[in-house]
Amino acid sequence: MNKTEAMQEKLARISSKLSSNIYIMAIRDSMLAYVPFTFIASIFLILAFIPSQGINDFISNTIGVEYAVWQGKLLIVYSASLAIGGLLVLIAMSKTMADYLNLNQIQVILTSLVAYLTLTPSVMSDAGPSFSQASMSAQSMFFAMLLAIGGSKLYKLIDDLGLKIKMPASVPPAVSAPFESLIPSFIVITIAFILRLVLDGFGTDAVSAINGTLGLPLLLIGGSLFGTIFVAAFQQLLWFFGVHGSSIVQGVMLPIWQVLEDQNKAATMAGEAAQNIINYSFFTHFASIGVVGAVIAALIVARSKQYREISKIAIVPYAFNVGEPALFGFPLMMNFTLFIPFIATNAISAIISYIAFATGLVPIPLGLVQLPWTTPIIFSGFAVTGSIAGAVLQLVCVVASTLVWMPFIKMADKQNLQVEAGNEEAAEEAA
């Protein structure tokens, strides 16, 4: 076995372990379930925070309603979705964990929900405790995930020990399931209540405790340029050896970027400047610009039939950031001639973008708009930054990536031309 095969086998083993890890899969699946609601809420946030007083006044005069009133109406959808991101992730992850652990989905979800509300910071009044949206936002995402994992695992342990009310086999499942969950749910919720009392005694709460211990280091690493460069390069390294890098890396990193994005959104809505350069929009729409450079480079310099045809086919799906035709068509995987640009160009785009945001040349993504990764370049850059400078920055990254790819594409294309010429000679001799 040569070094390349050994490396491929090693990464395959790592990938297999990560891909079969129920916690990573649960985080990935719950975040994927949450992402569509960030996009839906973004549409209403864009309309509520149009960055033009003239347009806002025109709308107010047209519909005969003051700006503050119709803005408040538009924020209803935001309040019911993105503003309670932690709660939504808890529900999605509890359902996913129940699936992986073969537990009753409804009972695990409801148990986790009650435990979450038991531990969530609340304000006491004469009417009883009330919960603020801030305590259920994306800032509580780390807490929500840990609770979903810990609560479902504890539920599973109690269930496996047989500590449940067993109903006769003749009782329908819809009736027996709630009774069988009574003891596991009671124990999980009681432990959550005890933890709440302990945290109250120390003058803190679950969200603050988790964010200050586990969350802070993750945000510092995930929110740094070095961390982003490492993630971008490692993701591409996995892809190079045939492992689905995006699903593994982003399954871990997406919650971190989402929290950072949410902080930017809160600042923007409060009329303050966004501070977090690294966030979901940064990685998705700027630091992921790389392979498109290979397609454009091939369109410009390729002379071989293979590269010319593949580049023509790949450019259309790549308008929506779908890179599989280029990945398998050139191919890019296990192609050591193209190894350097394949690994490096995403990281280069991350560095260029970071400098542009850090120096103020381009506004930091506002957090109001969260678009899916399939959103075309130029539009996504403009939308997430609220400035044409965001679109220009994406074009700069595309140009830089293309320039890096070009000499390597020329080299690989030359090899293809030699192979094609040899095949044609062989075909003529055979004829």
Side-chain angles (χ1 to χ4, degrees), residues 219-229 253 256-265 267-268 273-288 347-367 369 381 384-385 390 393 397:
L219 290 175
L220 289 175
I221 295 172
S224 69
L225 178 59
F226 174 79
T228 303
I229 291 173
M253 298 302 298
I256 299 172
W257 294 328
Q258 193 65 58
V259 170
L260 294 167
E261 182 102 5
D262 186 71
Q263 291 175 356
N264 282 1
K265 177 212 67 184
T268 302
Q275 298 296 324
N276 299 320
I277 295 176
I278 309 295
N279 49 59
Y280 170 79
S281 294
F282 177 89
F283 192 87
T284 304
H285 303 299
F286 296 95
S288 294
I348 291 171
S349 290
I351 294 171
I352 293 172
S353 300
Y354 190 93
I355 293 172
F357 290 126
T359 56
L361 292 174
V362 181
I364 294 173
L366 304 174
V369 182
V384 300
T385 63
L393 174 58
C397 290

Side-chain angles (χ1 to χ4, degrees), residues 59-269:
I59 295 173
S60 296
N61 294 332
T62 301
I63 63 177
V65 179
E66 292 183 1
Y67 169 66
V69 175
W70 61 260
Q71 182 193 50
K73 298 296 184 183
L74 287 169
L75 289 177
I76 291 175
V77 174
Y78 159 75
S79 299
S81 54
L82 204 56
I84 55 170
L87 182 60
L88 296 180
V89 169
L90 171 89
I91 294 171
M93 193 159 178
S94 297
K95 186 266 181 190
T96 304
M97 286 297 297
D99 285 342
Y100 288 132
L101 296 175
N102 295 316
L103 298 172
N104 185 287
Q105 292 179 2
I106 295 177
Q107 300 307 138
V108 171
I109 291 173
L110 293 179
T111 300
S112 296
L113 179 59
V114 174
Y116 176 87
L117 294 175
T118 300
L119 283 162
T120 296
S122 56
V123 178
M124 296 300 297
S125 63
D126 294 338
S130 60
F131 304 96
S132 66
Q133 282 188 332
S135 64
M136 300 182 191
S137 69
Q139 300 305 308
S140 68
M141 204 168 281
F142 296 131
F143 163 59
M145 289 178 174
L146 285 176
L147 180 60
I149 292 172
S152 58
K153 287 292 287 184
L154 179 57
Y155 189 108
K156 174 69 172 175
L157 175 63
I158 299 167
D159 187 74
D160 288 345
L161 291 173
L163 299 176
K164 57 185 177 181
I165 299 173
K166 296 181 180 179
M167 305 295 288
S170 59
V171 178
V175 177
S176 63
F179 285 97
E180 290 180 354
S181 74
L182 182 58
I183 294 176
S185 296
F186 175 78
I187 294 175
V188 171
I189 293 168
T190 301
I191 291 175
F193 176 66
I194 294 171
L195 286 174
R196 171 64 183 267
L197 296 179
V198 172
L199 291 168
D200 285 347
F202 282 98
T204 187
D205 58 76
V207 175
S208 299
I210 295 300
N211 286 348
T213 52
L214 174 64
L216 184 59
L218 290 175
L219 290 175
L220 289 175
I221 295 172
S224 69
L225 178 59
F226 174 79
T228 303
I229 291 173
F230 174 80
V231 167
F234 183 65
Q235 174 179 277
Q236 295 303 100
L237 181 64
L238 292 175
W239 272 114
F240 183 82
F241 286 99
V243 178
H244 198 296
S246 301
S247 113
I248 293 173
V249 169
Q250 295 188 35
V252 176
M253 298 302 298
L254 195 55
I256 299 172
W257 294 328
Q258 193 65 58
V259 170
L260 294 167
E261 182 102 5
D262 186 71
Q263 291 175 356
N264 282 1
K265 177 212 67 184
T268 302
M269 292 179 65

Side-chain angles (χ1 to χ4, degrees), residues 273-422:
Q275 298 296 324
N276 299 320
I277 295 176
I278 309 295
N279 49 59
Y280 170 79
S281 294
F282 177 89
F283 192 87
T284 304
H285 303 299
F286 296 95
S288 294
I289 296 175
V291 175
V292 66
V295 179
I296 297 173
L299 284 171
I300 296 172
V301 304
R303 297 294 177 265
S304 66
K305 292 179 181 178
Q306 178 185 345
Y307 274 23
R308 285 205 310 268
E309 293 304 315
I310 291 300
S311 59
K312 290 175 185 176
I313 294 171
I315 196 63
V316 176
Y318 227 109
F320 300 93
N321 302 311
V322 177
E324 277 71 10
L327 192 68
F328 298 107
F330 281 128
L332 299 177
M333 291 190 304
M334 297 300 294
N335 188 339
F336 285 91
T337 304
L338 304 176
F339 176 79
I340 292 176
F342 187 72
I343 300 299
T345 45
N346 282 26
I348 291 171
S349 290
I351 294 171
I352 293 172
S353 300
Y354 190 93
I355 293 172
F357 290 126
T359 56
L361 292 174
V362 181
I364 294 173
L366 304 174
L368 296 178
V369 182
Q370 295 186 46
L371 302 173
W373 60 271
T374 51
T375 306
I377 290 173
I378 298 178
F379 174 77
S380 60
F382 170 76
V384 300
T385 63
S387 169
I388 192 66
V392 173
L393 174 58
Q394 287 184 319
L395 289 177
V396 170
C397 290
V398 170
V399 171
S401 297
T402 302
L403 292 175
V404 172
W405 274 102
M406 202 165 287
F408 295 93
I409 289 291
K410 280 184 178 180
M411 194 186 313
D413 184 61
K414 185 177 180 180
Q415 295 170 359
N416 276 357
L417 281 172
Q418 293 173 350
V419 172
E420 290 176 0

